[in-house]
Amino acid sequence: MEEEQINNILNKLEGSSVVASAVNTTNDFNSNDRFFFCDAKTQSELNELIGENKPKLVVLVGFAGYGKSTFVGSLYQQLISNHSYNNYCFVDSDTYVGFERRVFLRRINNSNVSDTKRNVLGENDVLNIKLRSNKGEMQHVIISDKAGETYSRYISSDNDVSNDMVINNADIILFFIDAELLCGSLANYNLISEKYKNILKRFIALGKLKETASYILVFTKIDKLNGEDYKMKLTTRRDNLSIVFKDIIGSGPDDIYEVNSKKIEDVRLNELFCKVLDPNRSSIYSREIDWVKNDIETLI
Amino acid sequence: MGNDDLMCAINAHLFIPLDGKIIERLQNNVMQLLLEADINMVEDCTYSFFMNVVSPDFRNSFDMNYQKLYKDSLFLPDIVYVILEIFFVRKCIEADDISANVRRKYSCVVRNFAVLLKGRWSNLKCSDWVIGMYKYSNVDIDKSKHTGTPSQSFLNSILPYDNWDDTGLDISNINIFRQIHDLCIVATKNHFNNFINSFAFSKYSSPFVRVYMLFCKMMNNYDWKYLSIEPPKIIISTMGKASTEKKKFRRIVDIIRNELNSDDLYKPTMKSSVLLRKIFSNYHCGIEECMFSVLEFGIYLYYELLLESYND
């Protein structure tokens, strides 16, 4: 369908600027690929995903091939298979196509076919999940899964980092590290370390890390590490990298996970899913809001 | 309250903040809606805010007015409308051109609907605003102002006449008015204390029923709102240790409805009389499983009855 035809239909249906913006084609790839209903959203559409409560925002950070999309694909696969986390089950998403694309990528990776189809730079990164507990409580989680090349750009561009609207809103940030690469040559380890140092310093300098956000280090592809040597190397290099994060951010990670994202039965992977989908948020409220209790305490 | 206040409140709940120009428009739009404000709108918006939903009436009025003012439509997430609802209520309460009585009523609406969040206070947005609105319920009726003729019941509390003209007193004279007013207050206080001391508490087995009947009867019989009453003190002095007894609200309602005749049940007119409405008509209010002590129950009841009396 031509863009003009789409615009004509939309103009007849509704005049709102938001709907009109759905055909805004400033992305890097073909606009016909872009316009699917239920596709992943752009960060400029984040506010549209807010209902009566602000959803939890989980941001996946990691360079190309570090396993972010595989992680998302596995999470989605578990959810649509009626797996519950924290007594919450999946009920809906506005971004099914975005998830399905990532599941496809996961399958491609599983088959050991050359990894030619990853998240393309410029492809929409915002996905959402709606869950419901067995008591009927709803939970809404948004996941940002950007292409790894985006973060490579961030290493050398303040402008790109400044324009990122998800990092500074994140409730949880998952920093992905390819464990296989990490435990390879020393050069590889140093490269990963330097890339993360660079990007973290840029985040801090531009005020992008919210004080209340928690961050987690996720070491992926641990199934590729065979033998005690590799496992020891992982422990050492993992700990060193944690110190790098701690030194720059000012506090250590909330948790560290070593996972095989392709294996949906992976225990630690599922624990990480639980963590990401944990509905409990710290809640502080002023005692004066309960005015009756306040009246009683004043009297006493 | 400037744009900054509204901007902080709204943008704290968005991923992408709205810019100052949009916030200014939203604020101006709300100010326009104030011209149509009445107790029904305040109740509607306050209820919707506490329930974390958007009132269809508010949304329609807001959108239509915005379209009229700015010849433009705006997509806003529901969360923004919820915040605008309470912003509207706050503006209503803080308006310069309303009477103290109206301000008190609006404040009572907010206090009374707050019971809907009992036990779930952390869910409340803009809690500072809500807390700031509570204080207007407690403003004493200004006894010093020479405003209008004291009520019939005040007259009857001191003199055996049906109207002020028959007394021969010149109540247009401010000094005489004040003296009579003070005399009426003293007389009312005496009547009130006699009422409390002689109230047939033993007639009712449950302390929840006793406190319900006490405040309902107070409401019907006396100009007690002119006195500086502290409901917790009255409840503790009359109920004693029983004031700490706790039950789930649905159980309290069952007890009251079983023990009293339907004629004894107070028929509320205000939507914000959550407890009174539940007791009268047993509708679903969402707080059936909340625990109330006699003291808490009595205080909530007092303020609901207070608003009902303001609305008579």
Side-chain angles (χ1 to χ4, degrees), chain A residues 252-277:
Chain A
D254 275 24
D255 219 326
I256 297 174
Y257 288 82
E258 294 161 18
V259 300
N260 173 6
S261 294
K262 290 187 219 167
K263 190 178 170 194
I264 55 175
E265 314 84 43
D266 183 304
V267 170
R268 284 295 277 166
L269 181 67
N270 280 280
E271 286 172 4
L272 179 54
F273 291 159
C274 264
K275 185 109 182 173
V276 162
L277 300 177

PDB file of all heavy atoms in Angstrom, chain A residues 252-277:
ATOM      1  N   GLY A 252      27.473  -1.036  43.050  1.00  0.00           N
ATOM      2  CA  GLY A 252      27.587  -2.308  42.350  1.00  0.00           C
ATOM      3  C   GLY A 252      26.269  -2.726  41.729  1.00  0.00           C
ATOM      4  O   GLY A 252      25.224  -2.155  42.040  1.00  0.00           O
ATOM      5  N   PRO A 253      26.304  -3.737  40.862  1.00  0.00           N
ATOM      6  CA  PRO A 253      25.055  -4.203  40.253  1.00  0.00           C
ATOM      7  C   PRO A 253      24.143  -4.826  41.302  1.00  0.00           C
ATOM      8  O   PRO A 253      24.626  -5.403  42.275  1.00  0.00           O
ATOM      9  CB  PRO A 253      25.519  -5.254  39.238  1.00  0.00           C
ATOM     10  CG  PRO A 253      26.867  -5.676  39.695  1.00  0.00           C
ATOM     11  CD  PRO A 253      27.472  -4.541  40.426  1.00  0.00           C
ATOM     12  N   ASP A 254      22.849  -4.732  41.074  1.00  0.00           N
ATOM     13  CA  ASP A 254      21.879  -5.361  41.982  1.00  0.00           C
ATOM     14  C   ASP A 254      22.004  -6.874  41.945  1.00  0.00           C
ATOM     15  O   ASP A 254      21.711  -7.544  42.932  1.00  0.00           O
ATOM     16  CB  ASP A 254      20.456  -4.970  41.589  1.00  0.00           C
ATOM     17  CG  ASP A 254      20.065  -3.643  42.201  1.00  0.00           C
ATOM     18  OD1 ASP A 254      20.982  -2.857  42.516  1.00  0.00           O
ATOM     19  OD2 ASP A 254      18.860  -3.380  42.380  1.00  0.00           O
ATOM     20  N   ASP A 255      22.410  -7.357  40.796  1.00  0.00           N
ATOM     21  CA  ASP A 255      22.552  -8.801  40.661  1.00  0.00           C
ATOM     22  C   ASP A 255      23.382  -9.104  39.414  1.00  0.00           C
ATOM     23  O   ASP A 255      23.574  -8.242  38.554  1.00  0.00           O
ATOM     24  CB  ASP A 255      21.180  -9.471  40.538  1.00  0.00           C
ATOM     25  CG  ASP A 255      21.122 -10.784  41.291  1.00  0.00           C
ATOM     26  OD1 ASP A 255      22.169 -11.480  41.341  1.00  0.00           O
ATOM     27  OD2 ASP A 255      20.045 -11.136  41.802  1.00  0.00           O
ATOM     28  N   ILE A 256      23.868 -10.341  39.384  1.00  0.00           N
ATOM     29  CA  ILE A 256      24.638 -10.790  38.224  1.00  0.00           C
ATOM     30  C   ILE A 256      24.069 -12.141  37.804  1.00  0.00           C
ATOM     31  O   ILE A 256      23.846 -13.021  38.654  1.00  0.00           O
ATOM     32  CB  ILE A 256      26.135 -10.946  38.573  1.00  0.00           C
ATOM     33  CG1 ILE A 256      26.715  -9.587  38.966  1.00  0.00           C
ATOM     34  CG2 ILE A 256      26.900 -11.531  37.395  1.00  0.00           C
ATOM     35  CD1 ILE A 256      28.151  -9.644  39.458  1.00  0.00           C
ATOM     36  N   TYR A 257      23.820 -12.294  36.519  1.00  0.00           N
ATOM     37  CA  TYR A 257      23.286 -13.557  36.025  1.00  0.00           C
ATOM     38  C   TYR A 257      24.181 -14.097  34.926  1.00  0.00           C
ATOM     39  O   TYR A 257      24.664 -13.346  34.085  1.00  0.00           O
ATOM     40  CB  TYR A 257      21.869 -13.351  35.459  1.00  0.00           C
ATOM     41  CG  TYR A 257      20.815 -13.114  36.502  1.00  0.00           C
ATOM     42  CD1 TYR A 257      20.632 -11.847  37.057  1.00  0.00           C
ATOM     43  CD2 TYR A 257      20.003 -14.160  36.951  1.00  0.00           C
ATOM     44  CE1 TYR A 257      19.666 -11.637  38.033  1.00  0.00           C
ATOM     45  CE2 TYR A 257      19.026 -13.945  37.918  1.00  0.00           C
ATOM     46  CZ  TYR A 257      18.873 -12.681  38.454  1.00  0.00           C
ATOM     47  OH  TYR A 257      17.918 -12.470  39.415  1.00  0.00           O
ATOM     48  N   GLU A 258      24.370 -15.408  34.966  1.00  0.00           N
ATOM     49  CA  GLU A 258      25.057 -16.102  33.872  1.00  0.00           C
ATOM     50  C   GLU A 258      24.034 -17.032  33.253  1.00  0.00           C
ATOM     51  O   GLU A 258      23.522 -17.929  33.929  1.00  0.00           O
ATOM     52  CB  GLU A 258      26.246 -16.906  34.421  1.00  0.00           C
ATOM     53  CG  GLU A 258      27.343 -16.016  34.989  1.00  0.00           C
ATOM     54  CD  GLU A 258      28.276 -16.772  35.915  1.00  0.00           C
ATOM     55  OE1 GLU A 258      28.303 -18.022  35.863  1.00  0.00           O
ATOM     56  OE2 GLU A 258      28.973 -16.103  36.714  1.00  0.00           O
ATOM     57  N   VAL A 259      23.713 -16.783  32.010  1.00  0.00           N
ATOM     58  CA  VAL A 259      22.573 -17.493  31.419  1.00  0.00           C
ATOM     59  C   VAL A 259      22.878 -18.024  30.039  1.00  0.00           C
ATOM     60  O   VAL A 259      23.784 -17.555  29.353  1.00  0.00           O
ATOM     61  CB  VAL A 259      21.326 -16.580  31.320  1.00  0.00           C
ATOM     62  CG1 VAL A 259      20.894 -16.087  32.683  1.00  0.00           C
ATOM     63  CG2 VAL A 259      21.544 -15.430  30.364  1.00  0.00           C
ATOM     64  N   ASN A 260      22.091 -19.017  29.670  1.00  0.00           N
ATOM     65  CA  ASN A 260      22.048 -19.467  28.282  1.00  0.00           C
ATOM     66  C   ASN A 260      20.666 -19.068  27.785  1.00  0.00           C
ATOM     67  O   ASN A 260      19.676 -19.755  28.035  1.00  0.00           O
ATOM     68  CB  ASN A 260      22.245 -20.994  28.222  1.00  0.00           C
ATOM     69  CG  ASN A 260      22.047 -21.533  26.816  1.00  0.00           C
ATOM     70  OD1 ASN A 260      21.865 -20.782  25.853  1.00  0.00           O
ATOM     71  ND2 ASN A 260      22.089 -22.850  26.675  1.00  0.00           N
ATOM     72  N   SER A 261      20.588 -17.950  27.100  1.00  0.00           N
ATOM     73  CA  SER A 261      19.287 -17.372  26.726  1.00  0.00           C
ATOM     74  C   SER A 261      18.505 -18.240  25.762  1.00  0.00           C
ATOM     75  O   SER A 261      17.293 -18.117  25.646  1.00  0.00           O
ATOM     76  CB  SER A 261      19.475 -15.999  26.072  1.00  0.00           C
ATOM     77  OG  SER A 261      19.990 -15.089  26.994  1.00  0.00           O
ATOM     78  N   LYS A 262      19.211 -19.128  25.042  1.00  0.00           N
ATOM     79  CA  LYS A 262      18.499 -19.946  24.059  1.00  0.00           C
ATOM     80  C   LYS A 262      17.763 -21.101  24.733  1.00  0.00           C
ATOM     81  O   LYS A 262      16.843 -21.686  24.179  1.00  0.00           O
ATOM     82  CB  LYS A 262      19.488 -20.528  23.048  1.00  0.00           C
ATOM     83  CG  LYS A 262      20.087 -19.504  22.111  1.00  0.00           C
ATOM     84  CD  LYS A 262      20.897 -20.223  21.059  1.00  0.00           C
ATOM     85  CE  LYS A 262      22.157 -19.458  20.739  1.00  0.00           C
ATOM     86  NZ  LYS A 262      23.099 -20.276  19.963  1.00  0.00           N
ATOM     87  N   LYS A 263      18.216 -21.431  25.933  1.00  0.00           N
ATOM     88  CA  LYS A 263      17.642 -22.599  26.608  1.00  0.00           C
ATOM     89  C   LYS A 263      16.570 -22.123  27.576  1.00  0.00           C
ATOM     90  O   LYS A 263      16.870 -21.643  28.672  1.00  0.00           O
ATOM     91  CB  LYS A 263      18.767 -23.330  27.350  1.00  0.00           C
ATOM     92  CG  LYS A 263      18.385 -24.681  27.901  1.00  0.00           C
ATOM     93  CD  LYS A 263      19.582 -25.338  28.565  1.00  0.00           C
ATOM     94  CE  LYS A 263      19.126 -26.573  29.340  1.00  0.00           C
ATOM     95  NZ  LYS A 263      20.145 -27.052  30.259  1.00  0.00           N
ATOM     96  N   ILE A 264      15.319 -22.253  27.192  1.00  0.00           N
ATOM     97  CA  ILE A 264      14.260 -21.645  27.998  1.00  0.00           C
ATOM     98  C   ILE A 264      14.061 -22.336  29.354  1.00  0.00           C
ATOM     99  O   ILE A 264      13.415 -21.809  30.236  1.00  0.00           O
ATOM    100  CB  ILE A 264      12.915 -21.562  27.244  1.00  0.00           C
ATOM    101  CG1 ILE A 264      12.475 -22.924  26.726  1.00  0.00           C
ATOM    102  CG2 ILE A 264      12.985 -20.540  26.126  1.00  0.00           C
ATOM    103  CD1 ILE A 264      11.098 -22.896  26.098  1.00  0.00           C
ATOM    104  N   GLU A 265      14.668 -23.537  29.488  1.00  0.00           N
ATOM    105  CA  GLU A 265      14.565 -24.211  30.803  1.00  0.00           C
ATOM    106  C   GLU A 265      15.660 -23.747  31.747  1.00  0.00           C
ATOM    107  O   GLU A 265      15.677 -24.125  32.910  1.00  0.00           O
ATOM    108  CB  GLU A 265      14.698 -25.730  30.671  1.00  0.00           C
ATOM    109  CG  GLU A 265      13.878 -26.372  29.569  1.00  0.00           C
ATOM    110  CD  GLU A 265      14.577 -26.324  28.221  1.00  0.00           C
ATOM    111  OE1 GLU A 265      15.801 -26.579  28.144  1.00  0.00           O
ATOM    112  OE2 GLU A 265      13.896 -26.008  27.234  1.00  0.00           O
ATOM    113  N   ASP A 266      16.592 -22.951  31.252  1.00  0.00           N
ATOM    114  CA  ASP A 266      17.716 -22.482  32.066  1.00  0.00           C
ATOM    115  C   ASP A 266      17.177 -21.841  33.340  1.00  0.00           C
ATOM    116  O   ASP A 266      16.405 -20.890  33.304  1.00  0.00           O
ATOM    117  CB  ASP A 266      18.538 -21.475  31.239  1.00  0.00           C
ATOM    118  CG  ASP A 266      19.773 -20.973  31.965  1.00  0.00           C
ATOM    119  OD1 ASP A 266      19.623 -20.449  33.093  1.00  0.00           O
ATOM    120  OD2 ASP A 266      20.871 -21.094  31.429  1.00  0.00           O
ATOM    121  N   VAL A 267      17.625 -22.366  34.473  1.00  0.00           N
ATOM    122  CA  VAL A 267      17.081 -21.919  35.768  1.00  0.00           C
ATOM    123  C   VAL A 267      17.385 -20.441  36.012  1.00  0.00           C
ATOM    124  O   VAL A 267      16.502 -19.671  36.404  1.00  0.00           O
ATOM    125  CB  VAL A 267      17.662 -22.786  36.910  1.00  0.00           C
ATOM    126  CG1 VAL A 267      17.316 -22.203  38.272  1.00  0.00           C
ATOM    127  CG2 VAL A 267      17.162 -24.219  36.783  1.00  0.00           C
ATOM    128  N   ARG A 268      18.623 -20.063  35.793  1.00  0.00           N
ATOM    129  CA  ARG A 268      18.998 -18.676  36.063  1.00  0.00           C
ATOM    130  C   ARG A 268      18.292 -17.725  35.098  1.00  0.00           C
ATOM    131  O   ARG A 268      17.927 -16.608  35.462  1.00  0.00           O
ATOM    132  CB  ARG A 268      20.520 -18.491  35.956  1.00  0.00           C
ATOM    133  CG  ARG A 268      21.278 -19.038  37.155  1.00  0.00           C
ATOM    134  CD  ARG A 268      20.958 -18.287  38.436  1.00  0.00           C
ATOM    135  NE  ARG A 268      21.743 -17.072  38.573  1.00  0.00           N
ATOM    136  CZ  ARG A 268      21.477 -16.101  39.462  1.00  0.00           C
ATOM    137  NH1 ARG A 268      20.407 -16.197  40.244  1.00  0.00           N
ATOM    138  NH2 ARG A 268      22.239 -15.023  39.549  1.00  0.00           N
ATOM    139  N   LEU A 269      18.080 -18.206  33.885  1.00  0.00           N
ATOM    140  CA  LEU A 269      17.364 -17.383  32.909  1.00  0.00           C
ATOM    141  C   LEU A 269      15.953 -17.089  33.425  1.00  0.00           C
ATOM    142  O   LEU A 269      15.481 -15.954  33.382  1.00  0.00           O
ATOM    143  CB  LEU A 269      17.300 -18.089  31.561  1.00  0.00           C
ATOM    144  CG  LEU A 269      16.599 -17.321  30.435  1.00  0.00           C
ATOM    145  CD1 LEU A 269      17.386 -16.072  30.045  1.00  0.00           C
ATOM    146  CD2 LEU A 269      16.412 -18.223  29.205  1.00  0.00           C
ATOM    147  N   ASN A 270      15.299 -18.122  33.931  1.00  0.00           N
ATOM    148  CA  ASN A 270      13.947 -17.933  34.432  1.00  0.00           C
ATOM    149  C   ASN A 270      13.918 -17.093  35.704  1.00  0.00           C
ATOM    150  O   ASN A 270      12.966 -16.347  35.948  1.00  0.00           O
ATOM    151  CB  ASN A 270      13.264 -19.289  34.644  1.00  0.00           C
ATOM    152  CG  ASN A 270      12.749 -19.849  33.337  1.00  0.00           C
ATOM    153  OD1 ASN A 270      11.689 -19.468  32.851  1.00  0.00           O
ATOM    154  ND2 ASN A 270      13.543 -20.726  32.708  1.00  0.00           N
ATOM    155  N   GLU A 271      14.969 -17.197  36.498  1.00  0.00           N
ATOM    156  CA  GLU A 271      15.055 -16.320  37.682  1.00  0.00           C
ATOM    157  C   GLU A 271      15.186 -14.866  37.247  1.00  0.00           C
ATOM    158  O   GLU A 271      14.621 -13.954  37.869  1.00  0.00           O
ATOM    159  CB  GLU A 271      16.251 -16.726  38.554  1.00  0.00           C
ATOM    160  CG  GLU A 271      16.014 -18.017  39.326  1.00  0.00           C
ATOM    161  CD  GLU A 271      17.259 -18.511  40.040  1.00  0.00           C
ATOM    162  OE1 GLU A 271      18.291 -17.820  40.013  1.00  0.00           O
ATOM    163  OE2 GLU A 271      17.196 -19.618  40.608  1.00  0.00           O
ATOM    164  N   LEU A 272      15.918 -14.664  36.177  1.00  0.00           N
ATOM    165  CA  LEU A 272      16.078 -13.308  35.651  1.00  0.00           C
ATOM    166  C   LEU A 272      14.742 -12.791  35.102  1.00  0.00           C
ATOM    167  O   LEU A 272      14.391 -11.638  35.310  1.00  0.00           O
ATOM    168  CB  LEU A 272      17.156 -13.283  34.563  1.00  0.00           C
ATOM    169  CG  LEU A 272      17.441 -11.934  33.892  1.00  0.00           C
ATOM    170  CD1 LEU A 272      17.756 -10.841  34.909  1.00  0.00           C
ATOM    171  CD2 LEU A 272      18.594 -12.068  32.893  1.00  0.00           C
ATOM    172  N   PHE A 273      14.011 -13.672  34.438  1.00  0.00           N
ATOM    173  CA  PHE A 273      12.684 -13.276  33.954  1.00  0.00           C
ATOM    174  C   PHE A 273      11.813 -12.831  35.144  1.00  0.00           C
ATOM    175  O   PHE A 273      11.084 -11.845  35.064  1.00  0.00           O
ATOM    176  CB  PHE A 273      11.990 -14.427  33.218  1.00  0.00           C
ATOM    177  CG  PHE A 273      12.599 -14.793  31.895  1.00  0.00           C
ATOM    178  CD1 PHE A 273      12.366 -16.045  31.337  1.00  0.00           C
ATOM    179  CD2 PHE A 273      13.398 -13.908  31.194  1.00  0.00           C
ATOM    180  CE1 PHE A 273      12.923 -16.403  30.103  1.00  0.00           C
ATOM    181  CE2 PHE A 273      13.966 -14.259  29.966  1.00  0.00           C
ATOM    182  CZ  PHE A 273      13.728 -15.518  29.419  1.00  0.00           C
ATOM    183  N   CYS A 274      11.883 -13.587  36.231  1.00  0.00           N
ATOM    184  CA  CYS A 274      11.105 -13.246  37.443  1.00  0.00           C
ATOM    185  C   CYS A 274      11.485 -11.861  37.949  1.00  0.00           C
ATOM    186  O   CYS A 274      10.632 -11.071  38.336  1.00  0.00           O
ATOM    187  CB  CYS A 274      11.412 -14.246  38.558  1.00  0.00           C
ATOM    188  SG  CYS A 274      10.229 -15.570  38.653  1.00  0.00           S
ATOM    189  N   LYS A 275      12.770 -11.623  37.945  1.00  0.00           N
ATOM    190  CA  LYS A 275      13.272 -10.344  38.450  1.00  0.00           C
ATOM    191  C   LYS A 275      12.762  -9.195  37.575  1.00  0.00           C
ATOM    192  O   LYS A 275      12.293  -8.177  38.049  1.00  0.00           O
ATOM    193  CB  LYS A 275      14.803 -10.373  38.403  1.00  0.00           C
ATOM    194  CG  LYS A 275      15.476  -9.174  38.995  1.00  0.00           C
ATOM    195  CD  LYS A 275      16.138  -9.533  40.295  1.00  0.00           C
ATOM    196  CE  LYS A 275      16.789  -8.319  40.936  1.00  0.00           C
ATOM    197  NZ  LYS A 275      17.293  -8.607  42.265  1.00  0.00           N
ATOM    198  N   VAL A 276      12.863  -9.402  36.277  1.00  0.00           N
ATOM    199  CA  VAL A 276      12.463  -8.354  35.329  1.00  0.00           C
ATOM    200  C   VAL A 276      10.962  -8.080  35.454  1.00  0.00           C
ATOM    201  O   VAL A 276      10.509  -6.940  35.341  1.00  0.00           O
ATOM    202  CB  VAL A 276      12.833  -8.798  33.890  1.00  0.00           C
ATOM    203  CG1 VAL A 276      12.093  -8.009  32.844  1.00  0.00           C
ATOM    204  CG2 VAL A 276      14.333  -8.693  33.686  1.00  0.00           C
ATOM    205  N   LEU A 277      10.199  -9.146  35.702  1.00  0.00           N
ATOM    206  CA  LEU A 277       8.746  -9.000  35.753  1.00  0.00           C
ATOM    207  C   LEU A 277       8.219  -8.874  37.179  1.00  0.00           C
ATOM    208  O   LEU A 277       7.026  -9.014  37.418  1.00  0.00           O
ATOM    209  CB  LEU A 277       8.081 -10.209  35.065  1.00  0.00           C
ATOM    210  CG  LEU A 277       8.450 -10.382  33.587  1.00  0.00           C
ATOM    211  CD1 LEU A 277       7.796 -11.651  33.031  1.00  0.00           C
ATOM    212  CD2 LEU A 277       8.027  -9.182  32.771  1.00  0.00           C
TER     213      LEU A 277
END
